[in-house]
Amino acid sequence: MVDTTKNIKMYTTYGTKSAKPVQPKISAKLISKAKRPLLVVSSAVLDEELLKRAVSIAKKTGMQVAATSTSIKGFLNEDVKAKYINIHALATYLGDVNWTGLDGEGHYDLIIVLAHKKYYINQVLSGLKNFTDLTTLSIDRHYLQNASMSFGNLKPEVHLEALDELIENL
Amino acid sequence: MSKISTGSFSIEELENVQITIGSIVGAIEKKAEDEGEMGPTPKPGISGLRDWDHKLLNRYEPVYTPMCDQCCYCTFGTCDLTGNKEGACGIDMKTHQAREFLLRVITGAAAHAGHGRHLLHHLIETHGADHPIDVGPTNIKAPVIQTVTGIKPETIGDLEPVLDYVEEQLTQLLATIHAGQEGAAIDFESKAMHGGMIDHVGMEVSDIAQISCLGMPKADSEAPLAEIGMGSIDSTKPVLLCIGHNVAGVTYIMDYMEEHDLTDKIELAGLCCTAIDMTRYQMDNGGTPTAKIVGSLAKELKYIRSGIPDVIVVDEQCVRADVLQEAQALSIPVICTNEKIMYGLPNRTKDDVDDILNDLASGKEAGALVLEFEKLGELAPRLVMEVAPIRKEKGITALPTDEEFKELTNKCVHCLVCEMACPMNLPISDAMTAAADGDLTPFEILHDKCIACGRCEQECPKDIDILNVIEKASQKVIREEKGMMRAGRGQVSDPEIREEGVNLVLGTTPGIVAMVGCSNYPDGTKDLYDIAKEMLKRSYIVVVSGCTAMDLGMYKNEEGKTLYEEFSGSFLKGNLLNVGSCVSNSHITATTIKVAAIFAQRNVTGNFEEIADYVTNRVGAVGIAWGAYSQKAASIGTGCTRLGVPVILGPHGSKYRRALIGKPYDSDKWSVYDARNGEELAIPAAPDYLITTVDNAEEIMPMLAKSCIRPTDNNMGRMIKLTHYIELSKKYLGIMPDDWHTFVRTETDLPLAKREELLKILETEHGWEIDWKKKKILSGPTMKFDVSAQPTNLKRLCKEA
Ligand code: SF4
Ligand code: SF4
Ligand code: SF4
């Protein structure tokens, strides 16, 4: 078992509210329980090892993937529900209760983020944290203060282990 | 002193009276009024263009991504605004973020306007207020100034009332930042747009003044090439490094060097926009720039640490706050030349040059403040000649020796603290491991991505000077960092607009891509080259300025040619234009104004709203600030958006706290009026943002093509734009864009080679009716194509209205 909650050191801060550190098993439970979860990935997912795991998560849960940036290239030949969208546009639509989602079937209740530039996704999460009621879960390898829940800072190899554990528990 | 109103008057029987005419107040505006061409909003105040802003903001809504959840503006605070809570003064998070954004914008605008004021004072003193404005072949010498203020300046003295207006507006805007002022986010946004527009006025003042007085290229498509890159500097010569944005003082150094036969003996190098303007100085009649460009802000600390500069001269803007400390550690004397940066140094302005020289050369003083340019001109070259031999003999540098390098890389305990402190989270630890094993490649890759901020070094528990390690490891690639940049050409001329305007408005030239701004790139400098090259090959007009113009010139094709050598520099499809430095960005907005004025014969004088409406609906232009970091970039971008030019930022741009993004699925937002009859006209959801960010250079490519689609495209134009949109999306994202069909009005909008295939998709996937015999679309499109439709957002411009 990997402890993903140990290192939540921050080098700069957004304010008083910080993501709750979360373990892989609990993350899996949250995802499994969600009615309309959305997995938001970015270009860093094109790393072979990360991609494998992102695809597994999407396949096992059947959840929609918001493939931001060039990440869509990783899902073209996979049997997953993936759609390209620019992340700043996505952040905007997520804040609109009238948006019907990437598949037209309704809004989402859990946003899971993986494989992003840390500084970029923290901004997106900052918008969601301050102006929406959405629950956001980061399973990325950096502690993301602006998520509702987040893995702590992890070395790359430990991060992969944590994702495996999450997948096992889905 | 009494004021005399406009008109003629006579004075009789005066003896021994000296009459001084300071300025003829309002004379130019009066002339425009008399000629019946003054538009409705000369010199608008804060609320003057508010209706226009609200129209834009209705379609493109502000999206806030706070950088800090707290406010500490006043002593009621600190207030925690998390979750859009209100602070003690009643302001909520959204409104506070809008206020923060406004503050960024007016800070940037003030930097340009302050620069402009300093420059103008100086140039009026040296050249006289009646020195004519000469920016090349044009009837509209100052398009932005004329559109915003209604003033048509003829001399540099005419620019003074323009700056008076800019300064007044900036003061009024700054006042609204105070606690207890504006309470609506949307009106802070409108104010931000005002600040952005004002910024372009201030920039235009600065650049046309220096173009007119300092012999800079005047709308010259063949402006000379200048050398650029850390590897292009001849470090065997005494190296004089100038850093900043205001070239006024440096021109005295250049003149002194010329007069004293020192130009060949001293290597004059520059960082940031001062460097760009050094290569423009006295180049209006051709020649080869002798000054060389080191690069952008990202090279500043790297270059100082190399120890190569023998003397550093700083002026203003984007200069690191620690230049003096860093330089002092390497015995490099620093001369401050501008009140904006004085580093606590003694003011030696009134002292004898020999005395200052002795104090600096002997190391008695680390630096000096010298505000008198004549003295600076003499001091800097003499000083560098004196200290260089001593410094070079000692071989002073901050970079480790081979031995020390080994020790440092072995000292790393791979705690990853540096990586977490690094703004880019660069993989430093793995590079240390590789270097310890003798492989320098990972560090060489880091070198280009590293912005030389030094944050990593401050956190390393082992006190490793990480930046020095990166730079030591990259010596080989640094030596090869040699490129070319075409010196800034200034404005686009009237004849060029006459030739190209029609292609732009009809869409047969697929668009203008303006690449501007600073060096906070997400993945190094090469992206700029890749983006520009892709769009140039597709016949877009690529306009560049500032740091982007520099970094673009660092890469070469297989034949060893930079983009500047590969593509011509006119305002024509498939050309690459460098307009110049930061303040030259005003020429980019000016170009779109000129299209309205020259191609469409619109009156621009004091007529901002109508011109912005024209640009919004007809001119397919998009801005990229790929490495935007500064407040100036925020104001430049915001000025573009008020005029209807959308702007895409790199991912760091999300830290500006707000974007303006539309919702293509909200069909109510995507219609305009037809000026012929006032009827509503559906328009495509492109651009679907006014300012936004993207993750990487590949993602931006299809977005650029889509961003240039405009309601007025003719069939050929729409076909060309759609072709690029689809091709770029397939090439860089591997997918057919999911909204391509929303831009199709008739079958003739479809790319010729793919027409059948696309008609099939329209039929099967989107349920459109196709007449296969005639290969015609029978039903499906939400928009009609009408070549004579006159799209406008302004009801008042409609015939029926
Ligand atoms: S300005 Fe308002 S929100 Fe900010 S510290 Fe003062 S009371 Fe609080
Ligand atoms: S902080 Fe220092 S010791 Fe730690 S990984 Fe970075 S360079 Fe190595
Ligand atoms: S100096 Fe370079 S490596 Fe160090 S923190 Fe800054 S960007 Fe990162």
Side-chain angles (χ1 to χ4, degrees):
Chain A
M1 265 198 1
V2 187
D3 186 352
T4 52
T5 61
K6 256 191 330 220
N7 178 356
I8 54 164
K9 184 162 163 54
M10 291 182 281
Y11 290 84
T12 53
T13 174
Y14 289 83
T16 53
K17 195 174 173 189
S18 295
K20 204 171 141 209
V22 65
Q23 301 285 11
K25 211 169 163 181
I26 308 286
S27 309
K29 241 193 216 142
L30 276 164
I31 297 172
S32 303
K33 262 188 20 208
K35 286 198 191 73
R36 288 269 297 162
L38 176 70
L39 177 63
V40 184
V41 296
S42 189
S43 47
V45 88
L46 294 174
D47 168 88
E48 202 184 320
E49 293 298 320
L50 272 181
L51 184 61
K52 247 198 278 180
R53 287 158 179 91
V55 169
S56 303
I57 295 173
K59 276 194 178 154
K60 236 176 146 175
T61 56
M63 80 170 122
Q64 172 79 49
V65 179
T68 72
S69 183
T70 40
S71 69
I72 186 68
K73 288 193 282 191
F75 299 91
L76 295 178
N77 301 315
E78 298 288 349
D79 185 23
V80 293
K81 249 173 94 180
K83 197 167 175 195
Y84 162 74
I85 185 165
N86 166 269
I87 198 159
H88 220 137
L90 176 66
T92 309
Y93 308 164
L94 283 173
D96 177 6
V97 285
N98 297 319
W99 186 48
T100 54
L102 289 165
D103 54 5
E105 288 181 13
H107 221 297
Y108 301 97
D109 60 349
L110 178 68
I111 310 299
I112 304 121
V113 303
L114 174 67
H116 295 268
K117 293 181 171 75
K118 178 183 169 184
Y119 61 87
Y120 195 25
I121 193 65
N122 246 331
Q123 290 306 115
V124 171
L125 292 170
S126 158
L128 299 182
K129 172 180 83 174
N130 280 298
F131 306 113
T132 75
D133 296 328
L134 288 166
T135 304
T136 56
L137 165 68
S138 165
I139 53 170
D140 228 326
R141 84 174 193 82
H142 296 286
Y143 176 62
L144 298 182
Q145 186 190 358
N146 288 332
S148 318
M149 282 160 286
S150 173
F151 282 180
N153 298 309
L154 302 170
K155 296 201 168 177
E157 58 283 5
V158 182
H159 180 224
L160 294 179
E161 260 180 74
L163 290 176
D164 288 338
E165 198 180 317
L166 183 152
I167 294 164
E168 252 168 58
N169 285 286
L170 279 174
Chain B
M1 128 108 233
S2 63
K3 274 192 183 167
I4 304 168
S5 62
T6 320
S8 62
F9 53 90
S10 58
I11 302 168
E12 287 163 26
E13 293 175 38
L14 285 178
E15 264 178 67
N16 292 330
V17 174
Q18 186 187 337
I19 298 175
T20 312
I21 299 176
S23 67
I24 303 178
V25 180
I28 320 173
E29 292 100 314
K30 188 78 180 80
K31 192 163 162 263
E33 263 167 44
D34 292 346
E35 286 169 7
E37 57 174 28
M38 186 61 85
T41 55
K43 295 192 186 170
I46 289 181
S47 65
L49 294 160
R50 180 172 181 255
D51 289 351
W52 172 250
D53 298 333
H54 282 231
K55 274 194 190 81
L56 289 177
L57 294 164
N58 177 47
R59 186 188 294 162
Y60 302 105
E61 294 170 35
V63 185
Y64 298 105
T65 53
M67 278 288 274
C68 174
D69 301 338
Q70 306 190 141
C71 176
C72 53
Y73 270 13
C74 78
T75 68
F76 284 141
T78 301
C79 297
D80 175 25
L81 307 179
T82 313
N84 206 25
K85 275 189 296 213
E86 284 182 8
C89 65
I91 202 167
D92 63 17
M93 176 67 114
K94 259 189 192 158
T95 313
H96 175 59
Q97 291 306 308
R99 172 168 67 172
E100 288 277 23
F101 185 75
L102 168 62
L103 182 58
R104 301 305 176 283
V105 168
I106 56 178
T107 305
H112 288 139
H115 170 187
R117 182 56 90 177
H118 176 271
L119 203 57
L120 192 62
H121 266 319
H122 171 69
L123 294 174
I124 286 178
E125 210 175 285
T126 52
H127 291 69
D130 52 4
H131 185 87
I133 289 172
D134 179 7
V135 287
T138 182
N139 288 319
I140 313 170
K141 294 191 167 87
V144 180
I145 292 169
Q146 190 175 333
T147 306
V148 175
T149 67
I151 296 173
K152 293 199 253 178
E154 292 293 336
T155 66
I156 62 166
D158 292 343
L159 297 173
E160 284 210 287
V162 178
L163 269 188
D164 292 345
Y165 163 71
V166 167
E167 287 159 353
E168 183 191 333
Q169 294 310 305
L170 288 177
T171 307
Q172 296 296 353
L173 288 170
L174 182 58
T176 72
I177 301 286
H178 193 281
Q181 302 268 34
E182 185 60 74
I186 187 126
D187 272 312
F188 269 128
E189 293 299 346
S190 169
K191 292 177 173 89
M193 289 205 161
H194 192 59
M197 177 190 75
I198 291 296
D199 183 35
H200 284 253
V201 177
M203 289 192 290
E204 192 170 67
V205 168
S206 307
D207 212 40
I208 63 180
Q210 64 177 2
I211 290 172
S212 303
C213 300
L214 301 179
M216 293 183 176
K218 303 179 198 325
D220 181 1
S221 59
E222 283 166 21
L225 292 164
E227 283 182 64
I228 170 166
M230 283 169 59
S232 70
I233 313 294
D234 180 355
S235 58
T236 60
K237 291 185 189 171
V239 177
L240 177 53
L241 178 68
C242 303
I243 315 177
H245 281 73
N246 187 337
V247 80
V250 186
T251 61
Y252 285 74
I253 298 175
M254 294 172 81
D255 290 348
Y256 183 92
M257 283 168 52
E258 198 55 39
E259 282 153 23
H260 293 80
D261 208 17
L262 289 168
T263 305
D264 287 343
K265 300 192 180 79
I266 296 172
E267 190 76 337
L268 183 64
L271 274 159
C272 270
C273 284
T274 291
I276 293 199
D277 287 341
M278 281 153 66
T279 64
R280 295 165 85 191
Y281 181 53
Q282 303 300 11
M283 282 295 137
D284 55 349
N285 293 317
T288 309
T290 49
K292 290 180 184 168
I293 303 166
V294 177
S296 65
L297 173 58
K299 300 285 190 307
E300 199 169 309
L301 195 51
K302 295 178 185 177
Y303 203 61
I304 297 174
R305 294 263 184 103
S306 74
I308 293 171
D310 294 302
V311 171
I312 295 176
V313 173
V314 304
D315 53 83
E316 59 172 306
Q317 300 164 51
C318 304
V319 186
R320 285 185 62 93
D322 58 357
V323 164
L324 184 65
Q325 290 93 302
E326 291 280 344
Q328 195 171 6
L330 299 173
S331 306
I332 309 170
V334 174
I335 309 174
C336 289
T337 64
N338 188 299
E339 286 165 339
K340 295 188 187 79
I341 302 174
M342 300 190 279
Y343 291 145
L345 290 168
N347 189 350
R348 307 296 299 268
T349 306
K350 296 209 158 64
D351 293 1
D352 195 66
V353 172
D354 288 311
D355 292 342
I356 315 172
L357 188 92
N358 285 337
D359 290 347
L360 294 182
S362 64
K364 194 173 148 220
E365 297 279 357
L369 173 65
V370 179
L371 297 171
E372 227 242 65
F373 292 160
E374 292 278 359
K375 269 186 198 159
L376 168 71
E378 180 185 345
L379 172 66
R382 282 182 57 199
L383 181 62
V384 79
M385 290 302 284
E386 197 157 324
V387 298
I390 312 165
R391 288 194 72 262
K392 288 195 199 308
E393 186 167 322
K394 289 194 191 151
I396 305 173
T397 173
L399 301 192
T401 62
D402 293 342
E403 205 54 34
E404 289 163 342
F405 179 77
K406 248 192 215 142
E407 267 169 45
L408 286 169
T409 49
N410 279 315
K411 219 163 91 177
C412 172
V413 293
H414 308 287
C415 64
L416 305 191
V417 167
C418 52
E419 297 188 11
M420 281 188 269
C422 171
M424 319 276 186
N425 305 117
L426 292 174
I428 300 164
S429 168
D430 282 352
M432 289 279 180
T433 312
D437 293 342
D439 177 10
L440 300 179
T441 327
F443 268 134
E444 288 175 345
I445 296 168
L446 278 197
H447 160 74
D448 185 49
K449 301 188 182 189
C450 163
I451 52 158
C453 67
R455 249 159 66 171
C456 49
E457 293 181 350
Q458 311 215 18
E459 297 291 342
C460 176
K462 292 282 157 192
D463 287 329
I464 302 173
D465 297 323
I466 298 167
L467 180 60
N468 299 350
V469 170
I470 299 176
E471 292 308 283
K472 173 71 183 179
S474 310
Q475 286 302 299
K476 203 175 106 225
V477 290
I478 291 171
R479 275 194 294 275
E480 284 152 22
E481 279 182 9
K482 292 180 194 173
M484 284 289 182
M485 184 199 78
R486 192 169 299 288
R489 53 166 282 155
Q491 287 183 353
V492 169
S493 72
D494 292 10
E496 286 175 295
I497 301 275
R498 243 168 251 131
E499 202 175 330
E500 191 65 4
V502 59
N503 297 325
L504 266 172
V505 173
L506 297 180
T508 44
T509 289
I512 306 174
V513 176
M515 300 176 65
V516 310
C518 344
S519 55
N520 197 13
Y521 311 124
D523 197 32
T525 50
K526 177 85 189 319
D527 285 344
L528 299 168
Y529 176 85
D530 293 338
I531 296 169
K533 180 137 189 176
E534 181 68 69
M535 301 321 278
L536 283 165
K537 280 192 311 197
R538 292 175 182 273
S539 291
Y540 287 76
I541 300 174
V542 176
V543 185
V544 295
S545 68
C547 291
T548 297
M550 301 184 197
D551 285 327
L552 199 67
M554 292 302 303
Y555 294 89
K556 298 179 181 129
N557 65 7
E558 312 74 49
E559 291 156 34
K561 282 186 177 167
T562 61
L563 289 178
Y564 293 107
E565 294 155 291
E566 199 178 336
F567 297 90
S568 312
S570 299
F571 187 71
L572 273 179
K573 62 172 71 173
N575 275 228
L576 171 63
L577 295 72
N578 175 14
V579 285
S581 55
C582 226
V583 286
S584 313
N585 280 310
S586 53
H587 307 322
I588 298 174
T589 35
T591 302
T592 64
I593 293 171
K594 279 185 154 195
V595 173
I598 297 169
F599 170 67
Q601 297 289 308
R602 298 286 179 116
N603 172 34
V604 302
T605 315
N607 201 15
F608 185 89
E609 188 183 52
E610 185 180 334
I611 299 305
D613 181 58
Y614 183 90
V615 174
T616 304
N617 286 299
R618 292 163 205 256
V619 182
V622 54
I624 308 175
W626 194 234
Y629 98 96
S630 66
Q631 296 81 31
K632 291 181 290 173
S635 59
I636 295 167
T638 307
C640 290
T641 58
R642 195 184 222 187
L643 192 64
V645 177
V647 179
I648 308 177
L649 308 169
H652 285 291
S654 58
K655 296 181 217 164
Y656 284 122
R657 299 168 178 79
R658 86 97 161 86
L660 300 173
I661 297 177
K663 294 168 182 158
Y665 56 86
D666 188 353
S667 55
D668 291 354
K669 300 282 171 77
W670 304 96
S671 74
V672 293
Y673 303 110
D674 187 338
R676 294 173 305 180
N677 49 26
E679 277 174 18
E680 281 206 12
L681 200 64
I683 57 158
D688 53 3
Y689 64 91
L690 264 188
I691 193 155
T692 192
T693 63
V694 304
D695 177 65
N696 63 22
E698 291 161 295
E699 188 187 8
I700 208 175
M701 305 281 192
M703 253 171 102
L704 290 174
K706 179 164 134 184
S707 302
C708 292
I709 293 176
R710 290 295 176 280
T712 47
D713 298 335
N714 69 8
N715 292 126
M716 175 76 93
R718 183 62 59 84
M719 183 180 88
I720 291 169
K721 293 181 185 188
L722 210 47
T723 304
H724 294 308
Y725 181 39
I726 292 172
E727 282 182 10
L728 288 166
S729 182
K730 283 190 162 171
K731 180 170 173 185
Y732 290 100
L733 301 178
I735 50 165
M736 187 76 176
D738 68 347
D739 59 352
W740 68 272
H741 62 286
T742 64
F743 304 112
V744 180
R745 301 160 301 183
T746 70
E747 55 287 339
T748 41
D749 283 347
L750 294 171
L752 208 53
K754 294 233 163 82
R755 198 163 283 172
E756 274 210 52
E757 185 191 323
L758 294 175
L759 283 172
K760 193 95 227 148
I761 300 176
L762 288 172
E763 187 180 55
T764 54
E765 287 177 26
H766 301 287
W768 290 21
E769 251 183 293
I770 313 291
D771 175 344
W772 282 103
K773 255 196 212 129
K774 296 184 185 148
K775 300 216 169 55
K776 272 178 91 73
I777 295 171
L778 297 175
S779 76
T782 48
M783 268 159 276
K784 285 184 302 212
F785 175 63
D786 179 350
V787 74
S788 42
Q790 304 279 330
T792 175
N793 295 47
L794 303 172
K795 193 92 195 177
R796 70 175 171 90
L797 296 184
C798 299
K799 283 235 169 71
E800 294 294 290

